């Protein structure tokens, strides 16, 4: 689907703050509120906007650590491993990737011990051959 420059601008504003009022979005983009409202409805109807979510502030996640966990999966075990990983609430995202690993998970845990336990749980899953973790030191930006 081809998005217009105005649609891309609207999506950018919504990524920053999906709770922004139609009037605020319209002011930022130089559009009328009716146009903004119509565009949002159209983008939702077309499936471009699939939903809205909560992005936690740094104060709420203070003390938590994040890690990228790279996972190698045994052949034919991918569906079962993905289902088991999906059930782990500490995993914020799971991506299938090319290269030496099959999956990369973004995990969040309240401390090093909890992250260690999570990594052990992932490594113990049937079909998981190997994991490698990298702790996130800081986020330079997120969208």
């Amino acid at each position: 689907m081809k998005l217009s420059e105005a649609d891309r601008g609207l999506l950018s504003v919504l990524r920053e703050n999906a709770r922004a009022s139609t009037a605020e979005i319209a002011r930022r983009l130089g559009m009328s509120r009716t146009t903004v409202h119509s565009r949002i409805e159209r983008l939702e109807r077309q499936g471009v906007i699939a939903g809205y979510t909560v992005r936690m502030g740094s104060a709420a996640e203070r003390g938590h650590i994040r890690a990228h966990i790279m996972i190698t999966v045994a052949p034919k075990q991918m569906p079962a491993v993905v289902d088991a990983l999906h059930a782990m609430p500490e995993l914020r995202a799971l991506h299938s990737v090319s290269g030496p690993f099959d999956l990369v998970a973004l995990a969040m845990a309240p401390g090093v011990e909890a992250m260690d336990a999570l990594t052990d749980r992932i490594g113990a899953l049937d079909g998981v051959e190997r994991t490698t973790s990298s702790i996130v030191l800081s986020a330079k930006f997120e969208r």
Side-chain angles (χ1 to χ4, degrees):
M1 165 172 297
K2 186 136 175 132
L3 296 176
S4 70
E5 190 64 35
D7 290 338
R8 285 191 293 278
L10 175 58
L11 292 170
S12 178
V13 171
L14 288 172
R15 276 189 204 98
E16 289 174 25
N17 181 6
R19 292 181 48 104
S21 69
T22 304
E24 180 183 338
I25 296 169
R27 254 190 321 278
R28 285 189 58 189
L29 297 176
M31 297 178 182
S32 72
R33 289 183 315 197
T34 305
T35 299
V36 168
H37 183 75
S38 296
R39 284 181 180 274
I40 289 171
E41 283 186 336
R42 179 178 51 80
L43 292 168
E44 288 173 342
R45 217 178 24 258
Q46 292 174 334
V48 174
I49 297 175
Y52 301 88
T53 187
V54 173
R55 190 173 59 203
M56 303 289 284
S58 60
E61 294 181 343
R62 195 173 321 277
H64 285 68
I65 60 170
R66 292 185 294 174
H68 291 107
I69 303 172
M70 287 68 74
I71 306 163
T72 303
V73 180
K76 301 183 182 181
Q77 295 292 317
M78 185 66 76
V81 170
V82 169
D83 287 345
L85 294 171
H86 189 263
M88 296 180 181
E90 302 94 339
L91 299 184
R92 299 294 175 91
L94 181 67
H95 301 280
S96 176
V97 295
S98 63
F101 300 99
D102 300 305
L103 300 169
V104 175
L106 177 59
M108 181 168 288
V112 174
E113 297 82 12
M115 186 63 74
D116 187 40
L118 173 62
T119 304
D120 288 345
R121 281 188 4 242
I122 292 170
L125 291 173
D126 285 338
V128 170
E129 294 181 341
R130 188 179 77 184
T131 65
T132 302
S133 302
S134 293
I135 301 295
V136 175
L137 299 176
S138 69
K140 301 303 183 190
F141 71 85
E142 292 186 37
R143 294 186 181 161

